[in-house]
Amino acid sequence: MALDKKSSYRKNFSLGVTFIVLISILFILSLFLAFNYSKKSIENDFVSEKVNVLEQSIKPYNDFFQNKMPEISYYNGYLDSSTAAKFVDTVILKYPFISKVTFYDTEVKNVPVKDGINANHLGIGPKAIFQFGKGVKPDSVKLYSEDDTRSFNVGSDFNAIAIKLATFVEDLDTASVPTQEELFTNFSIVNSNENKITYLNIPRREDLRVYKEMIRRKLNPAPVYQQDVLVFNLDAHKIKIINTRPLLYQTIRIEPLTYDPIDTSDENINTEIALPGAFSDFKLYLISSKSYIKKEIFIYFMPIALVLLLVYGVLLLVAFLIYRNLNINSKMFKLQYDFVNNLTHEFKTPVSVIKIAGNNIKSAATLSQKEQQLYGKILDEEADKLNGLMNKLLAFTQIENKAIKLNQEEVNIVDFIESTIESHTLKHPDFKITYEVLGFKTFITDPVLLGSLFDNLAENAYKYSKPEQKKLHISAKLIKGVLVFRFVDKGIGIASSELNNIFKKFFRIQNEYNQMGSVGLGLAFCKELVNFMEGEISVKSKVGSGTEFKIVLPYNN
């Protein structure tokens, strides 16, 4: 049976080790895959997140282009130098990337203009030109006036938007209504080469019809309409870069579209994305060192690693619990097997002796008085053994299930101990038992249960002692309101590793004294008795020197 237990233990241990090795390999592999996934994910983010950086950084430009610039049309061409200056101040304050604004106070006439564009009978020219911006000198605000006698070139920006207006008017279908998108497209010019936006306030439909008539013929009287043209000079380097992923992008710069870095070190990774609209000749250039990116990779990786570690820990706990349960089950099987074996042996021995004695009585023709007494004594002793074993099993089950009641009787402790000593010395003449009582004479308890407790401990003291050391000292003392009983023997002792198990059912210490059969219920029965009597039992022992059992019971008198 010991070989089977050892084999079973090795099998369980091997299965446990195999399981732990497998989940450890899976854990390490999972960590490796998770790190690679994190690295790949961050590298993909490095390429894809630049779109968010661009969107956030270019948002003010989009707001200016789509919302602020069209406000010029609200003035219907009636901006003057003063109102234009206020409008430009608010624009430059809110949008720092606008460095300078040129304002053309424009007239659309039915007569040719000196400076501007003439299309048949339609003339488009400025009556005054103003320049605004942080870097514009006070004496340079007004660039041109139609009253000036000197020659002045109004510039390609004005001419381009004037030509666009004349072309649009000439091709205009007065029966249809142009969309806002068409009007916006035809009355603005985005020049990415020079980073300029030229905008002409959108004329009303009625004005456009008149302009068309003005191209075809000379009207009487010749009308004059006011238009406003503003040219916005932009500086791409004044765009405020919004780094939406500061742990991902170490440096973000605005560079020309043709920029190609000389340093192509493997220590850095970079990506780029072109700016839109008037800034389309520029790009966002994003660069980070690989060591900088590693921080973001680990930030991404750590939660995954913690989850994997938690799963790994749970699996280890499951493995431990399974292994522990397998060992407990193995031990329980061993204990139950030994219990059945030993119980069978305990029953078999007296039954065999009774059977032999019965056969001898049956086969004998006559029996002398001495033989009758001998056989009677044998039958009586073996019957007592069977009865005692059955009573112990029955009492253990009843006490464990609380099926009996605790009797309350007054017990004289000296008489009780002397009765126990007499009983055991008659049974074992070589058993020397001494005792002492201190502090009390009588107390209330169940004498039957207390007798069973004393008998079991006395029997153990005799059984587990060497022939020359079969001694037991019993002390009974009243200490601080409780009864303390000590049973001190000079037996073989109990190893410290076994002390936690000796009160368990079916547990037997493996030694030469247990080879002839023991069901492993004695001390477990004692503990159940003490618990039932609302007390405590403990043990101290030293191998080769002896054992001391200490029992503490409530004092009732």
Side-chain angles (χ1 to χ4, degrees):
M1 185 63 195
L3 183 63
D4 290 342
K5 181 182 178 183
K6 192 174 181 181
S7 174
S8 174
Y9 174 79
R10 286 178 178 175
K11 184 177 179 181
N12 293 344
F13 182 76
S14 299
L15 286 173
V17 169
T18 303
F19 181 73
I20 291 172
V21 168
L22 284 175
I23 63 172
S24 298
I25 292 172
L26 286 173
F27 174 64
I28 294 170
L29 181 62
S30 298
L31 287 178
F32 176 76
L33 293 175
F35 183 79
N36 282 345
Y37 170 78
S38 301
K39 183 180 178 183
K40 192 70 177 175
S41 179
I42 295 301
E43 288 174 352
N44 290 338
D45 283 353
F46 188 84
V47 175
S48 62
E49 285 293 314
K50 63 186 177 185
V51 176
N52 289 333
V53 176
L54 175 64
E55 287 179 353
Q56 293 301 316
S57 300
I58 211 69
K59 187 182 285 185
Y61 168 77
N62 291 332
D63 178 62
F64 162 73
F65 189 78
Q66 296 170 7
N67 300 317
K68 191 65 178 178
M69 196 170 65
E71 287 182 11
I72 298 168
S73 295
Y74 299 162
Y75 294 94
N76 293 315
Y78 287 100
L79 279 173
D80 57 20
S81 60
S82 176
T83 52
K86 292 179 180 178
F87 176 80
V88 171
D89 284 344
T90 60
V91 167
I92 291 177
L93 184 64
K94 188 173 182 181
Y95 308 104
F97 52 83
I98 298 174
S99 60
K100 185 174 65 175
V101 179
T102 304
F103 168 56
Y104 296 84
D105 191 359
T106 307
E107 289 183 336
V108 180
K109 303 179 180 181
N110 202 196
V111 295
V113 294
K114 181 179 67 170
D115 297 305
I117 297 297
N118 294 296
N120 293 335
H121 300 284
L122 181 70
I124 307 170
K127 63 180 180 181
I129 303 175
F130 298 88
Q131 198 174 65
F132 307 102
K134 291 181 179 178
V136 178
K137 296 179 181 179
D139 59 349
S140 301
V141 171
K142 189 173 184 179
L143 301 178
Y144 167 80
S145 173
E146 62 182 353
D147 297 331
D148 291 345
T149 55
R150 59 189 174 87
S151 178
F152 184 81
N153 184 5
V154 297
S156 59
D157 298 321
F158 179 83
N159 289 335
I161 197 70
I163 291 170
K164 207 167 186 182
L165 172 61
T167 304
F168 179 77
V169 170
E170 191 171 6
D171 297 335
L172 178 66
D173 181 3
T174 55
S176 63
V177 179
T179 64
Q180 286 300 315
E181 186 177 350
E182 289 173 340
L183 291 172
F184 190 81
T185 303
N186 282 280
F187 292 99
S188 64
I189 298 174
V190 176
N191 186 343
S192 60
N193 293 325
E194 298 180 13
N195 305 123
K196 292 180 180 179
I197 299 176
T198 304
Y199 185 79
L200 169 68
N201 71 283
I202 300 172
R204 296 172 297 180
R205 285 185 64 195
E206 310 88 73
D207 296 345
L208 290 172
R209 290 193 186 99
V210 175
Y211 292 169
K212 193 170 182 68
E213 287 295 319
M214 290 166 66
I215 290 178
R216 294 174 181 173
R217 60 191 177 90
K218 191 171 183 179
L219 304 177
N220 189 19
V224 177
Y225 285 84
Q226 301 299 316
Q227 291 287 156
D228 297 320
V229 176
L230 281 85
V231 179
F232 299 91
N233 291 69
L234 310 179
D235 185 354
H237 295 286
K238 295 291 181 65
I239 294 174
K240 184 179 180 182
I241 297 172
I242 308 297
N243 188 353
T244 56
R245 293 290 295 273
L247 295 178
L248 187 62
Y249 299 116
Q250 190 174 12
T251 305
I252 305 175
R253 304 194 302 266
I254 294 176
E255 299 287 354
L257 203 59
T258 55
Y259 172 76
D260 191 12
I262 298 174
D263 182 16
T264 55
S265 172
D266 289 339
E267 294 300 316
N268 297 327
I269 59 173
N270 60 75
T271 186
E272 57 189 47
I273 185 170
L275 294 172
F279 302 119
S280 57
D281 280 349
F282 291 87
K283 64 184 177 183
L284 284 181
Y285 185 74
L286 307 95
I287 184 169
S288 296
S289 65
K290 289 183 178 178
S291 60
Y292 188 83
I293 292 293
K294 279 182 181 178
K295 296 176 186 176
E296 181 76 352
I297 292 173
F298 275 103
I299 289 172
Y300 191 94
F301 168 70
M302 286 309 295
I304 301 174
L306 289 174
V307 171
L308 290 174
L309 183 63
L310 180 62
V311 172
Y312 178 67
V314 170
L315 289 176
L316 282 180
L317 180 62
V318 169
F320 169 75
L321 293 176
I322 291 174
Y323 177 73
R324 189 190 69 171
N325 288 341
L326 286 173
N327 277 344
I328 290 173
N329 290 338
S330 177
K331 289 177 181 178
M332 287 301 297
F333 176 77
K334 169 71 166 52
L335 290 174
Q336 290 173 2
Y337 180 84
D338 288 349
F339 170 71
V340 173
N341 254 3
N342 295 327
L343 190 63
T344 302
H345 179 79
E346 288 290 308
F347 274 108
K348 188 175 180 180
T349 301
V351 168
S352 298
V353 172
I354 290 171
K355 185 171 179 64
I356 291 169
N359 285 334
N360 287 343
I361 293 172
K362 183 179 178 181
S363 60
T366 57
L367 291 174
S368 65
Q369 187 177 357
K370 185 178 179 180
E371 287 176 331
Q372 286 179 0
Q373 290 176 349
L374 175 62
Y375 286 129
K377 182 181 178 183
I378 291 173
L379 292 174
D380 188 54
E381 287 177 352
E382 297 306 320
D384 286 342
K385 286 182 182 180
L386 285 175
N387 187 54
L389 186 58
M390 292 298 296
N391 287 338
K392 183 181 287 186
L393 286 173
L394 180 61
F396 193 103
T397 303
Q398 288 176 333
I399 291 172
E400 195 173 39
N401 295 315
K402 312 296 183 186
I404 61 173
K405 291 184 179 180
L406 187 66
N407 293 325
Q408 299 291 335
E409 296 181 18
E410 186 178 59
V411 174
N412 184 294
I413 189 61
V414 173
D415 293 343
F416 186 85
I417 293 176
E418 287 181 351
S419 174
T420 300
I421 293 173
E422 183 180 355
S423 172
H424 284 277
T425 51
L426 284 174
K427 190 176 180 181
H428 309 295
D430 56 340
F431 195 14
K432 297 179 181 179
I433 304 176
T434 58
Y435 75 95
E436 64 173 323
V437 176
L438 185 64
F440 73 107
K441 292 182 179 180
T442 62
F443 69 108
I444 306 300
T445 189
D446 188 318
V448 176
L449 297 184
L450 187 66
S452 297
L453 182 61
F454 274 50
D455 287 342
N456 272 280
L457 293 176
E459 196 65 38
N460 274 358
Y462 181 82
K463 181 178 180 180
Y464 296 104
S465 298
K466 294 180 180 180
E468 67 278 8
Q469 294 292 334
K470 293 186 180 297
K471 299 176 182 178
L472 174 65
H473 178 72
I474 302 173
S475 70
K477 298 178 181 179
L478 179 61
I479 302 174
K480 296 181 179 180
V482 294
L483 297 177
V484 179
F485 297 93
R486 284 185 170 88
F487 292 76
V488 184
D489 63 40
K490 300 294 183 181
I492 60 174
I494 304 169
S496 58
S497 59
E498 306 283 1
L499 288 177
N500 291 331
N501 299 317
I502 61 173
F503 293 113
K504 295 179 181 178
K505 286 187 293 184
F506 313 128
F507 178 80
R508 296 189 311 136
I509 299 173
Q510 299 298 321
N511 55 46
E512 68 272 19
Y513 296 91
N514 273 331
Q515 299 304 312
M516 295 307 291
S518 171
V519 293
L521 284 178
L523 291 177
F525 181 55
C526 289
K527 185 170 181 63
E528 287 296 328
L529 282 172
V530 172
N531 290 342
F532 187 69
M533 297 167 73
E534 298 180 352
E536 296 178 1
I537 184 170
S538 58
V539 60
K540 291 192 298 184
S541 185
K542 186 176 180 181
V543 175
S545 298
T547 302
E548 176 186 325
F549 286 94
K550 176 184 174 183
I551 299 165
V552 179
L553 295 176
Y555 176 62
N556 298 317
N557 192 12

